[in-house]
Amino acid sequence: MERVFEQWESMGESARGQHGRNSTSPHVDEHGHPASKRPGAEAYLLAGDIFSIQDNPDLAIAAYQEVPQDSPLGWGARLSAARVLHNQDRGPEAV
């Protein structure tokens, strides 16, 4: 999932702030990103859609998989991931 977040940042998101990748600050997530800057379910769903349009199915699927299944957007994310897999002739993985 680190690849998706790095790609997300390169798309114009704000910098990681003052904490480095190896920081032990409680305000930093497991990847060294400020916890408050971590994208939510909506952002991952949108990122998946963007990666899909850009014909980057692996990042699209990875982004969709970051949407929690119990989120109101979870069903849409799983359906979008299945669509990407189907379009890549990877239908059995979509089930």
Side-chain angles (χ1 to χ4, degrees), residues 60-85:
I61 293 165
Y64 292 136
Q65 289 174 341
E66 283 299 306
V67 177
Q69 289 188 7
D70 62 351
S71 162
L73 301 174
W75 176 250
R78 290 193 308 275
L79 187 59
S80 293
R83 184 193 74 243
V84 170
L85 287 166

Side-chain angles (χ1 to χ4, degrees), residues 31-49:
H31 302 295
H33 304 288
S36 63
K37 300 292 183 185
R38 191 85 179 144
E42 297 89 357
Y44 280 113
L45 186 61
L46 178 60
D49 292 344

Side-chain angles (χ1 to χ4, degrees), residues 3-15 33 51 54 59:
R3 291 182 337 170
V4 171
F5 200 81
E6 287 173 359
Q7 184 71 23
W8 183 266
E9 284 182 329
S10 73
M11 291 169 49
E13 286 295 308
S14 63
H33 304 288
F51 294 138
Q54 292 176 338
L59 283 177

